[in-house]
Amino acid sequence: MSEHQHGPDCGCGHDHDHEHEEHVFIIANDEGEEREMVMVYTFESEDNVYAVLLDRQDPERDGVIFRVEEEDEETFLVGIEDDQEWDRVQAIYEEIARTENGE
């Protein structure tokens, strides 16, 4: 077994221009299927922080948004169950995505 040597032309999909830490979470859906999700973006709204996660194996798949909560110096991702909060957060994220994509 050989060790992978990262570099600008290695083709592994990592950005080698700067150091970055990937925040990976294991998320289970309603059927109990687990997926590795990577936090790709965070934003704030009404004194809450929200995180956008993409499937690590299928980044083209729709992302999911969670509220980030802290308790006793630990951070948790919490599903958004309130319809009004979800509509507000989804609209904010869609605007951010449009701006990022130059639309």
Side-chain angles (χ1 to χ4, degrees), residues 12-74:
C12 73
H14 291 112
D15 179 2
H16 301 288
D17 292 335
H18 64 280
E19 292 276 327
H20 68 280
E21 183 178 333
E22 197 171 68
H23 297 281
V24 178
F25 300 87
I26 305 299
I27 306 293
N29 64 15
D30 293 337
E31 290 80 41
E33 299 168 337
E34 292 183 344
R35 299 186 317 188
E36 283 189 353
M37 305 292 285
V38 179
M39 184 184 304
V40 295
Y41 198 86
T42 59
F43 62 95
E44 294 183 31
S45 175
E46 294 189 7
D47 296 326
N48 288 310
V49 176
Y50 297 91
V52 179
L53 281 69
L54 294 179
D55 190 310
R56 191 174 200 188
Q57 304 305 317
D58 187 6
E60 297 302 315
R61 192 173 182 174
D62 284 342
V64 292
I65 303 172
F66 289 95
R67 185 174 54 250
V68 178
E69 294 187 0
E70 293 185 17
E71 183 177 309
D72 298 325
E73 297 184 27
E74 289 192 51

